């Protein structure tokens, strides 16, 4: 019963019976006519003298209706057949869940804890949310213990981080207000005052928090970078960090090795093995970080490299290595055709600093000039417009306005410069830098990574070099370097060659190998790249099918969520490789991991899910009984309307 005090309404049953017992008694009287006694015959239905209870269907029906209404007010409930307790799991998907203790990973301990929690619920239904940087629902669900094992087989923690607050919010949305939330992670719960657990509508105890971690010492690769495109030498930068629960723990030896790939049978095959190029052992104390800079050998050109560490008793293998793809591609070929000696020296110095290769204008990808110069189709240009001798000019000290969204504005600062320019100049394209209403730099064409392959771009500079300080400041080489970088990124291929997890990699394809003009009637499929993961984060071969990626206009992007080495085959037939790195000092630090539990599993919600109320059915029955009683009294059988004893018919 939901409201047992409502049963006090049963007192109304004897009261109704008393009304029927105290009806007025009539005496038989013989008269000569009835019309004078009509007022007496219409006496009230109650009185002060007790009379014999008469069998009356209306009385029985009214007693039954009262009984049903009182029971309905008490709110009875019965166990609903077939009902299940809804449970939504929030699973920590960060790679620290792969850490082992006594040979058992935190993930496996979490699955065992989930089985124990579900065993006490009887009948249940389970859905799951995987909490990575962006939470996502698992497609599979379960209704028994065997189904839970099968549904969670797809949970293989490998993400760089876990946003558990967002995962809890998605779980509430998935399961609704009656669902039980069960969080499985390796860290104890900490309630954020501004997080979803502390929201006014959310009870922190409504979330069952299971921490299944084990505090342990760990060594990890926390940074791995390979030299960017166009660098003079191929260089590897790496950072290794050791952590431990006890800061006073003794130092331990950590072996760090840089290895070069042994190519497989084909460019889209995993490495056949790894050759050690350089290795060293370092004594590392808890909290210590060591940084390494290694000049890679010429044999590493075009091959993947791996930085790998080893420490005795290390519980987490997922952060012991990082794989990096070849980052070097041919330098941008550029030409400088400038008549002004001052401008020519500045252009040559900036192009050299950007790592370009000098070629004639007819072969250049980028041409710097101060007049019209023939160049190949699709070549980019940097045009320096010098004011004429009789042109109106003005020297600007600022403020300067920059289009920060343009790739040419990356790191560009004009503060503290003197920029002299023609005030009546009209620069075609979009303004990149202006001083008041005077354009200083403009850009024609699309220099972003989404621009179609082969698109030409022209940057124009309105500059009087003799009266400006621009060429002697850092702004000039930065502008030229940004232009060179954008030109390199516009080439067919994959950029960047090495990217962190979650960062989009741009894929750009050149013209298809078959010219559509050769067969105008042929229906060509939409261009698409084929992407396959070759290795995992440690460089071990990873089984996986190739995934098609549409490339409208030959351009697209791919944001991998798993680390490792990838191979991409572009529509023009180009084979490209890129690597995705996943390093996180916070996830690799296992000193804060623990085994603990907190919160409850919403018993009120479970009761609502397992029981069904009967108040509505009892109320409906009472209405039906009262309807039958009204029919008997006002239009039913004659027995129900027969006059009392003593009143003539």
């Amino acid at each position: 019963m939901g409201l047992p005090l409502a049963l006090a309404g049963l007192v109304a049953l004897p009261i109704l019976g008393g009304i029927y017992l105290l009806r007025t008694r009539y005496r038989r009287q013989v008269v000569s006519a009835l019309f004078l006694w009509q007022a007496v015959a219409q006496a009230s239905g109650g009185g002060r003298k007790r009379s014999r209870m008469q069998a009356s269907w209306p009385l029985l029906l009214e007693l039954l209706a009262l009984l049903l209404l009182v029971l309905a007010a008490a709110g009875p409930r019965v166990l609903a057949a077939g009902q299940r307790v809804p449970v939504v799991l929030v699973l920590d998907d960060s790679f620290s869940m792969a850490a082992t203790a006594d040979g058992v990973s935190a993930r496996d301990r979490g699955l065992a804890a989930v089985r124990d929690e579900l065993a006490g619920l009887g009948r249940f239904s389970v859905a799951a949310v995987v909490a990575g940087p962006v939470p996502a629902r698992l497609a599979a669900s379960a209704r028994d213990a065997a189904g839970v094992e099968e549904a969670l087989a797809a949970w293989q923690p490998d993400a760089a981080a876990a946003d558990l607050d967002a995962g809890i919010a998605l779980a509430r949305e998935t399961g609704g207000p009656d669902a039980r939330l069960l969080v499985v992670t390796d860290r104890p719960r900490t309630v954020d005052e501004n997080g979803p657990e502390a929201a006014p509508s959310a009870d922190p105890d409504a979330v069952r928090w299971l921490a299944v971690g084990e505090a342990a010492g760990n060594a990890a690769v926390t940074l791995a970078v390979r030299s960017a495109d166009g660098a003079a030498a191929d260089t590897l930068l790496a950072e290794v960090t050791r952590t431990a629960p006890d800061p006073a723990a003794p130092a331990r030896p950590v072996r760090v090795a840089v290895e070069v790939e042994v190519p497989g049978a084909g460019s889209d095959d995993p490495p056949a093995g790894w050759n050690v190029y350089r290795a060293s052992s370092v004594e590392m104390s808890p909290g210590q970080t060591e940084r390494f800079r290694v000049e890679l050998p010429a044999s590493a050109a075009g091959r993947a490299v791996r930085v790998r560490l080893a420490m005795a008793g290390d519980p987490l293998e997922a952060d012991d290595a990082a794989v990096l793809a070849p980052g070097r591609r041919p330098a941008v070929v550029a030409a400088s055709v400038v008549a002004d000696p001052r401008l020519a020296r500045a252009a040559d110095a900036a192009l050299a600093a950007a790592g370009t290769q000098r070629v004639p204008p007819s072969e250049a990808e980028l041409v710097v000039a101060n007049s019209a110069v023939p160049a190949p189709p699709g070549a980019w240009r940097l045009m320096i417009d010098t004011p004429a001798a009789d042109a109106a000019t003005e020297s600007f000290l600022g403020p300067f306005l920059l289009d920060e969204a343009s790739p040419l504005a990356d790191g560009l600062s004009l503060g503290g410069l003197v920029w002299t320019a023609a005030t009546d100049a009209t620069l075609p394209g979009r303004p990149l830098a202006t001083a008041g209403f005077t354009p200083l730099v403009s850009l024609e064409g699309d220099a972003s990574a989404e621009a179609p392959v082969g698109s030409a771009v022209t940057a124009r500079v309105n500059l009087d070099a003799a009266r400006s300080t621009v060429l002697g400041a850092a702004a000039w080489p930065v502008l030229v370097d940004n232009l060179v970088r954008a030109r390199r990124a516009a080439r067919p291929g994959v950029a960047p060659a090495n990217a962190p997890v979650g960062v989009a990699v741009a894929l750009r394809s050149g013209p298809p190998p078959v010219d559509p003009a050769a067969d105008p009637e042929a229906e060509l499929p939409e261009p698409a790249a084929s992407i396959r993961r070759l290795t995992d984060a440690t460089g071990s071969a990873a089984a996986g099918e190739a995934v098609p990626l549409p490339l409208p206009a030959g351009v697209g992007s791919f944001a991998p969520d798993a680390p490792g080495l990838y191979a991409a085959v572009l529509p023009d037939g180009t084979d490209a490789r890129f690597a995705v790195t996943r390093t996180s000092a916070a996830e690799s630090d296992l000193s804060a991991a623990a085994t603990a539990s907190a919160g409850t599993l919403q018993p009120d919600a479970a009761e609502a899910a397992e029981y069904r109320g009967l108040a509505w059915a009892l109320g409906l029955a009472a209405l039906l009984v009262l309807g039958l009683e009204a029919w008997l009294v006002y239009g039913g059988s004659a027995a129900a309307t027969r006059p009392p004893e003593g009143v003539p018919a």
Side-chain angles (χ1 to χ4, degrees), residues 108-189:
D108 294 339
R109 291 194 299 272
L111 290 181
V114 168
R115 287 193 296 266
D116 293 342
E117 292 288 334
L118 296 179
L121 295 181
R123 298 167 61 86
F124 57 81
S125 63
V126 172
V129 170
V130 175
V134 178
R137 299 181 179 93
L138 274 183
S141 58
R143 299 169 72 86
D144 53 36
V148 171
E149 295 287 343
E150 182 178 354
L152 299 188
W155 174 43
Q156 300 296 331
D158 199 33
D163 190 343
L164 293 176
D165 287 342
I168 291 172
L170 181 59
R172 286 198 176 102
E173 178 184 332
T174 300
D178 293 336
R180 301 182 178 196
L181 303 187
L182 184 59
V183 179
V184 180
T185 181
D186 60 346
R187 313 291 168 107
R189 180 174 69 177

Side-chain angles (χ1 to χ4, degrees), residues 113-436:
V114 168
R115 287 193 296 266
D116 293 342
E117 292 288 334
L118 296 179
L121 295 181
R123 298 167 61 86
F124 57 81
S125 63
V126 172
V129 170
V130 175
V134 178
R137 299 181 179 93
L138 274 183
S141 58
R143 299 169 72 86
D144 53 36
V148 171
E149 295 287 343
E150 182 178 354
L152 299 188
W155 174 43
Q156 300 296 331
D158 199 33
D163 190 343
L164 293 176
D165 287 342
I168 291 172
L170 181 59
R172 286 198 176 102
E173 178 184 332
T174 300
D178 293 336
R180 301 182 178 196
L181 303 187
L182 184 59
V183 179
V184 180
T185 181
D186 60 346
R187 313 291 168 107
R189 180 174 69 177
T190 56
V191 179
D192 183 357
E193 295 182 356
N194 299 318
E197 285 192 74
S201 61
D203 180 5
D205 289 336
V207 178
R208 176 67 169 161
W209 192 283
L210 295 179
V212 293
E214 291 285 346
N218 184 42
V221 178
T222 52
L223 177 68
V225 179
R226 194 169 178 177
S227 56
D229 293 344
D234 203 352
T235 305
L236 173 69
L237 300 176
E239 181 180 273
V240 175
T241 302
R242 187 201 163 194
T243 56
D246 181 9
R252 300 183 62 181
V254 178
R255 182 179 185 272
V256 182
V258 176
E259 303 169 342
V260 179
E261 169 196 12
V262 177
S267 60
D268 59 347
D269 291 325
W274 300 89
N275 288 330
V276 176
Y277 168 63
R278 183 172 297 177
S280 61
S281 182
V282 182
E283 292 287 331
M284 298 188 66
S285 302
Q288 182 177 346
T289 297
E290 291 289 332
R291 295 175 177 85
F292 303 88
R293 184 179 187 275
V294 179
E295 297 288 341
L296 297 176
S299 60
R303 299 184 183 184
V305 298
R306 176 174 71 171
V307 54
R308 187 175 182 86
L309 63 82
M311 184 181 73
D314 193 310
L316 185 57
E317 182 183 1
D319 59 6
D320 287 350
V323 180
L324 299 167
R328 295 182 59 191
R329 288 190 293 173
V332 171
V333 292
S336 176
V337 186
V338 180
D340 186 307
R342 184 193 301 269
L343 289 176
R345 288 193 299 269
D348 291 342
L351 291 174
T356 61
Q357 180 182 351
R358 303 298 295 276
V359 295
S362 59
E363 304 173 8
E365 297 176 280
L366 174 64
V367 177
V368 180
N370 62 347
S371 61
V373 176
W380 288 28
R381 300 171 184 267
L382 175 58
M383 302 297 297
I384 305 173
D385 294 343
T386 303
D390 57 348
T393 61
E394 184 176 350
S395 296
F396 299 97
L397 301 177
F400 302 103
L401 300 180
L402 286 176
D403 180 6
E404 300 289 350
S406 173
L408 269 64
D410 186 22
L412 183 63
S413 175
L414 303 181
L417 298 181
V418 177
W419 192 307
T420 304
T423 55
D424 58 352
T426 302
L427 301 186
R430 301 182 310 279
L432 175 67
T434 58

Side-chain angles (χ1 to χ4, degrees), residues 74-105:
R77 287 176 288 185
V78 296
L79 187 65
Q83 290 294 309
R84 296 176 180 270
V85 178
V87 179
V88 183
L89 306 178
V90 181
L91 307 173
D92 186 338
D93 200 40
S94 62
F95 66 85
S96 64
M97 290 293 291
T100 60
D102 298 327
V104 181
S105 69

Side-chain angles (χ1 to χ4, degrees), residues 555-621:
V555 178
S557 62
F558 176 68
D561 56 3
L565 184 65
Y566 289 77
V569 179
L570 304 181
D572 61 1
T574 301
D575 290 336
R577 299 173 76 185
F578 62 95
V580 177
T581 56
R582 179 211 54 205
T583 55
S584 172
E587 286 296 327
S588 295
D589 186 356
L590 303 179
S591 58
T595 298
S597 62
T600 61
L601 287 178
Q602 287 184 301
D604 294 339
E607 186 178 357
E610 295 177 8
Y611 290 87
R612 190 186 302 276
L614 293 179
W616 66 273
L618 295 174
L620 180 61

